[in-house]
Amino acid sequence: MRVLVTGASGLLGGTVAARLIERGDDVTTLQRRSSGVDGVREVCGSVTDQGALEEAVRGAGAVVHCAAKVGFTGAEADFARVNATGTAALVAAARGAGARAFVQVSSPSVAHTGSSIVGEGAGPASPDHARGAYARTKAAGEVAALEADGPGFTTVAVRPHLMWGPGDTQLVERVAQRSLTGRMPLVGDGAPLVDSTYSDDAVSAVIAALDRALEGDRAVAGRAFVVTSGQPRPVGELISRIALAGGGQVPTRSVPFPLAWAAGALAEGVWAVLRRVGSSVADDEPPLTRFLAEQLGTAHWFDLRETRAALRWEPGVGIDEGLRRTASFYDGWAAPA
């Protein structure tokens, strides 16, 4: 099978591409810089580039769409260009090229409206009510992908929650670095339970979704599934252990949730001003945002029964084992302060 994987310069997309190569698939990747994955046909470009899309989907029987614009702040139009418009264009190109399956890598944030999530499944994506530009535009992209499902073209969305593992720059290294500079506070008492996903479990779930979609399995068609490692932990414990595994230290500051939320709103406003005036400070994410405060201050853990049954998949790496592997990967490496 020829499979297109977008965003293969990232941890998830790159590992998915490598695993597909290992099992004998013919893989093309599409990303803005070289993926570094051996054995793939690379197309360097963006999902916003129609020429690159058409070249990338040529001959593809399936697409795994991992590429996205990720961040806590920034102009919503910039997120929409990649996450919503770009996804819709990729779906159309894939269908036009004769692909049979499309896996949209999404996020539980597309259905999160700010309150705690306790033992729920994958709620409907909400482009209007999800929290923040990233979540709203990812929701729009997911809707575009799932609504394209039909005879001969099976679409499915997979939502890994808080993915982490060796080589992860989005959570592990960021948390470790911020813990060393005092910019990784705990919100409240750190007690709310949260789910997370070890990277190998996210990869295996994406490939399971791809296989079900290629089979034309109507149990997954046009549906979204939350993926986690199935072991909720208190958020304070999880953040502290991830920081240590990545070469950081246990966060020592705690901020009450109302104060954290207000500080996040203020920081977002300041960063918007800095971005408008071209300050280099705005190149980094602010120390806190409203979305981050909500993620650190509310419970969000999920019921995986539908995911397990429909994808015919089980998480394979426990939290403790994942942290051991992550710590081994970063042994002797210190997060830059």
Side-chain angles (χ1 to χ4, degrees):
M1 174 61 62
R2 177 172 291 177
V3 183
L4 167 64
V5 179
T6 71
S9 56
L11 175 61
L12 179 58
T15 310
V16 167
R19 298 279 171 82
L20 294 177
I21 287 286
E22 287 171 6
R23 76 177 194 177
D25 288 320
D26 181 355
V27 179
T28 295
T29 64
L30 172 66
Q31 61 285 312
R32 288 177 297 173
R33 63 182 185 275
S34 177
S35 68
V37 179
D38 292 336
V40 302
R41 179 179 77 97
E42 285 202 325
V43 177
C44 287
S46 168
V47 293
T48 63
D49 180 346
Q50 189 63 33
L53 284 186
E54 292 175 359
E55 171 62 19
V57 300
R58 178 168 49 86
V63 174
V64 177
H65 183 31
C66 301
K69 178 174 172 57
V70 180
F72 295 127
T73 61
E76 187 143 353
D78 293 338
F79 286 93
R81 190 174 301 112
V82 176
N83 298 341
T85 306
T87 297
L90 177 60
V91 170
R95 197 169 192 174
R100 304 194 334 254
F102 190 101
V103 178
Q104 168 75 4
V105 175
S106 189
S107 162
S109 64
V110 302
H112 185 221
T113 57
S115 57
S116 291
I117 299 173
V118 179
E120 300 176 19
S126 178
D128 295 325
H129 300 110
R131 313 290 275 188
Y134 167 75
R136 287 190 292 270
T137 57
K138 282 293 286 184
E142 181 184 297
V143 169
L146 296 185
E147 287 185 346
D149 179 78
F153 189 66
T154 303
T155 67
V156 57
V158 176
R159 301 175 182 171
H161 185 54
L162 292 181
M163 192 189 83
W164 56 274
D168 165 44
T169 61
Q170 294 297 317
L171 186 62
V172 174
E173 293 179 15
R174 185 173 291 182
V175 165
Q177 180 182 1
R178 289 189 172 199
S179 73
L180 292 172
T181 58
R183 296 188 301 139
M184 190 65 243
L186 298 179
V187 174
D189 59 7
L193 289 178
V194 298
D195 261 327
S196 65
T197 313
Y198 184 68
S199 54
D200 281 0
D201 285 339
V203 169
S204 65
V206 168
I207 293 175
L210 171 64
D211 290 342
R212 302 294 82 75
L214 283 168
E215 294 167 359
D217 189 339
R218 303 317 291 169
V220 305
R223 297 182 62 194
F225 300 93
V226 173
V227 168
T228 76
S229 292
Q231 297 182 336
R233 291 287 187 272
V235 64
E237 173 194 329
L238 182 65
I239 292 297
S240 295
R241 295 183 71 187
I242 286 176
L244 289 174
Q249 59 190 24
V250 173
T252 56
R253 289 194 304 126
S254 178
V255 181
F257 178 78
L259 180 58
W261 195 92
L266 177 61
E268 289 173 40
V270 170
W271 251 247
V273 172
L274 292 173
R275 194 169 281 110
R276 281 199 298 270
V277 301
S279 171
S280 61
V281 174
D283 292 340
D284 194 11
E285 296 284 357
L288 195 61
T289 66
R290 287 171 291 180
F291 177 80
L292 184 56
E294 289 170 354
Q295 291 292 298
L296 292 172
T298 60
H300 32 103
W301 58 275
F302 300 87
D303 184 339
L304 293 185
R305 283 177 293 183
E306 286 191 349
T307 301
R308 286 181 162 105
L311 298 187
R312 288 177 252 158
W313 166 87
E314 289 286 338
V317 182
I319 298 291
D320 292 340
E321 172 61 16
L323 287 165
R324 186 195 65 76
R325 295 183 189 180
T326 303
S328 177
F329 179 86
Y330 287 105
D331 185 31
W333 178 87

